[in-house]
């Protein structure tokens, strides 16, 4: 029936600040759909940004900035990604730590975006 995820909506308080974070810190490609909608590309999947004070319909019943808990796969070794975050003065809350991902053991580190959303950055664990 279902085959994958097309996009996930991230509710933000400041579109410019969110675009800067996700593009500069996480390296996502930005696609502007219109003045109120921005897609941040993860391969063929998008994180779609919606700002809280815009009239986009339909939306979730209670769109709330900072309520997202998202795990993103990383191509770099996590030590290298952490060095990148350190160079940008982005605080890592936890990690790298061992976790269980959708496809097996992973190694993860955790940080927050400007709205307080929890972002887990992961890589398959060394075997």
């Amino acid at each position: 029936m279902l085959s994958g995820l097309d996009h996930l909506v991230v509710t933000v308080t400041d579109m410019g600040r969110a675009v800067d974070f996700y593009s500069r810190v996480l390296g996502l490609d930005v696609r502007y759909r219109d003045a109120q909608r921005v897609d941040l590309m993860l391969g063929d999947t998008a994180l779609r940004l919606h700002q809280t004070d815009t009239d986009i319909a339909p939306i979730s019943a209670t769109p709330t900035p900072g309520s997202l808990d998202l795990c993103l796969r990383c191509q770099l070794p996590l030590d290298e990604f952490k060095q990148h975050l350190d160079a940008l003065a982005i605080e890592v809350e936890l990690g790298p730590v061992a976790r269980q991902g959708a496809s097996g053991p992973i190694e993860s580190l955790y940080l927050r975006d400007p709205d307080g959303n929890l972002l887990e950055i992961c890589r398959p664990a060394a075997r």
Side-chain angles (χ1 to χ4, degrees):
M1 294 188 96
L2 302 178
S3 63
L5 181 65
D6 182 77
H7 69 275
L8 178 71
V9 175
V10 180
T11 302
V12 301
T13 56
D14 183 312
M15 186 72 75
R17 186 176 71 169
V19 167
D20 175 67
F21 176 85
Y22 282 93
S23 62
R24 184 175 55 87
V25 175
L26 300 183
L28 301 186
D29 291 329
V30 179
R31 291 192 187 160
Y32 291 91
R33 298 180 56 228
D34 58 39
Q36 296 180 335
R37 289 180 249 217
V38 177
D39 286 350
L40 302 161
M41 301 308 299
L42 285 163
D44 64 352
T45 302
L47 294 182
R48 183 161 291 164
L49 301 181
H50 286 188
Q51 190 164 306
T52 54
D53 60 356
T54 58
D55 292 327
I56 296 174
I59 59 174
S60 64
T62 52
T64 307
S67 64
L68 186 66
D69 185 339
L70 181 63
C71 183
L72 303 169
R73 293 185 188 124
C74 185
Q75 295 176 337
L76 295 175
L78 288 187
D79 289 341
E80 285 184 37
F81 189 76
K82 187 172 182 321
Q83 289 173 3
H84 165 72
L85 295 174
D86 290 344
L88 296 173
I90 302 296
E91 180 183 349
V92 172
E93 283 194 20
L94 179 66
V97 293
R99 294 290 190 250
Q100 182 66 33
S103 300
I106 57 174
E107 184 179 40
S108 299
L109 57 85
Y110 294 84
L111 61 139
R112 294 196 183 267
D113 77 0
D115 286 294
N117 293 300
L118 182 64
L119 303 176
E120 178 181 355
I121 309 298
C122 78
R123 254 186 86 82
R127 296 184 192 245

